[in-house]
Amino acid sequence: ASFAALWTQVSALQTYIVSTCNITGPFHFVAHSQGGVLGRALAQTWDEHQMQSFVTLSSPLMGQYGKTDYLKDLFPTMLEPELSDLFYTSRMQGIFSVANYWKDANKYSQYTQGNVFLAVINNENVTERAAQFKANFERIQNIVAFGGPDDGVIMPYQSALWTYFSDYNPDLVAAMTDLRLYTDNTFGLRTLNEAGRVHTHDIPGIQHTHWYLV
C-alpha cells in the first residue's frame, strides 16, 4: 500500500480510471485493504461515478485504531494514544495515509478537529460537499464487504464490515446499526443497508495478506 496522503491517491485513482482505463460507463470496483478506503472516497467525491458494485477485502472502511506490525516497525516506541497525537497533526495528515483513517474513539474531539479525510467523508466534519458526498455514496448499487477475526492488521477487524468501536463505550465494538454514523445516516450507509444493498461476510482463518489469494 502507498503511504501517500489519501486525497492525493483518490485524485490519481479517478484520473487513472477515466484517462488510462477509459471507463466512462458502469463499472465494478474491487479492492483490498487501504484500496477499499480509496474506493469509498472515490465514490463519495466523484459526482458522475457509475459504480455498480463495490467489493472490499479487509479494508478499514470505518477507521483504524491499533498498532499493527508495520506501525510497530515505523514507530517502535510509541503507544496508540501517542500515535493519535502525532497522526492528528497537519504535518502527518498531509503526508501519511494511515493518519488519514486513524480514528481514536477515546480522542473523538481531537479526531474531528485534526483528521482531514475520514472525518470529512463520514460527514463528521461537515463541509459544503456533505450532501453531495452522501448522494454519491447512495448511488452505489451493491456493496459487499469481507473481513475476519484472524486478519491481524485491521483493528478492529469489524471496520472491514462497516462498523467500529461504540460511540458510548470505546472498548467495545458496536453493531453497525447501533453506530451514530448509521442511525444519523450521515453518509448514506443506512439508506443502502435498508434497501438491501449492503452485504457483509465475517470469515475466520484468513490473514490480511492472504485475502486476495482466496
Side-chain angles (χ1 to χ4, degrees):
S2 171
F3 286 137
L6 289 184
W7 284 126
T8 300
Q9 294 193 54
V10 171
S11 177
L13 177 60
Q14 182 175 341
T15 299
Y16 177 79
I17 290 173
V18 174
S19 301
T20 305
C21 299
N22 295 315
I23 295 176
T24 57
F27 64 94
H28 306 287
F29 192 97
V30 181
H32 172 247
S33 195
Q34 183 176 275
V37 182
L38 292 175
R40 177 190 161 185
L42 176 73
Q44 290 186 246
T45 57
W46 187 0
D47 295 349
E48 297 84 22
H49 85 77
Q50 297 185 56
M51 189 181 294
Q52 298 297 292
S53 298
F54 178 39
V55 181
T56 55
L57 307 173
S58 192
S59 296
L61 298 163
M62 300 291 269
Q64 169 84 10
Y65 183 72
K67 194 173 178 183
T68 52
D69 286 342
Y70 67 91
L71 287 180
K72 290 176 184 177
D73 291 338
L74 293 171
F75 308 98
T77 65
M78 299 183 72
L79 301 176
E80 284 90 341
E82 296 172 307
L83 287 175
S84 297
D85 293 337
L86 175 65
F87 287 172
Y88 295 144
T89 62
S90 59
R91 170 67 174 165
M92 293 301 286
Q93 288 292 307
I95 64 172
F96 189 51
S97 62
V98 178
N100 293 151
Y101 53 87
W102 185 264
K103 185 174 183 179
D104 187 342
N106 292 290
K107 296 186 176 185
Y108 183 74
S109 295
Q110 190 175 353
Y111 154 74
T112 57
Q113 292 170 15
N115 186 282
V116 302
F117 184 84
L118 184 66
V120 174
I121 62 174
N122 278 347
N123 287 333
E124 293 168 293
N125 283 347
V126 179
T127 69
E128 61 182 15
R129 293 271 291 155
Q132 192 63 53
F133 285 173
K134 181 180 178 183
N136 289 345
F137 185 83
E138 291 175 342
R139 289 214 317 278
I140 303 173
Q141 296 302 303
N142 196 42
I143 290 177
V144 183
F146 295 87
D150 301 308
D151 179 83
V153 171
I154 305 304
M155 296 183 178
Y157 84 86
Q158 294 93 335
S159 179
L161 306 173
W162 292 102
T163 190
Y164 205 65
F165 293 114
S166 169
D167 299 302
Y168 309 104
N169 185 345
D171 293 324
L172 299 176
V173 175
M176 177 180 71
T177 53
D178 291 334
L179 287 179
R180 189 163 52 240
L181 289 173
Y182 181 92
T183 58
D184 292 349
N185 204 25
T186 60
F187 64 89
L189 182 61
R190 193 182 79 196
T191 299
L192 295 190
N193 189 56
E194 290 181 348
R197 289 152 60 189
V198 177
H199 313 276
T200 60
H201 301 276
D202 190 331
I203 303 175
I206 304 177
Q207 297 176 16
H208 188 71
T209 55
H210 293 177
W211 282 97
Y212 48 86
L213 302 176
V214 175

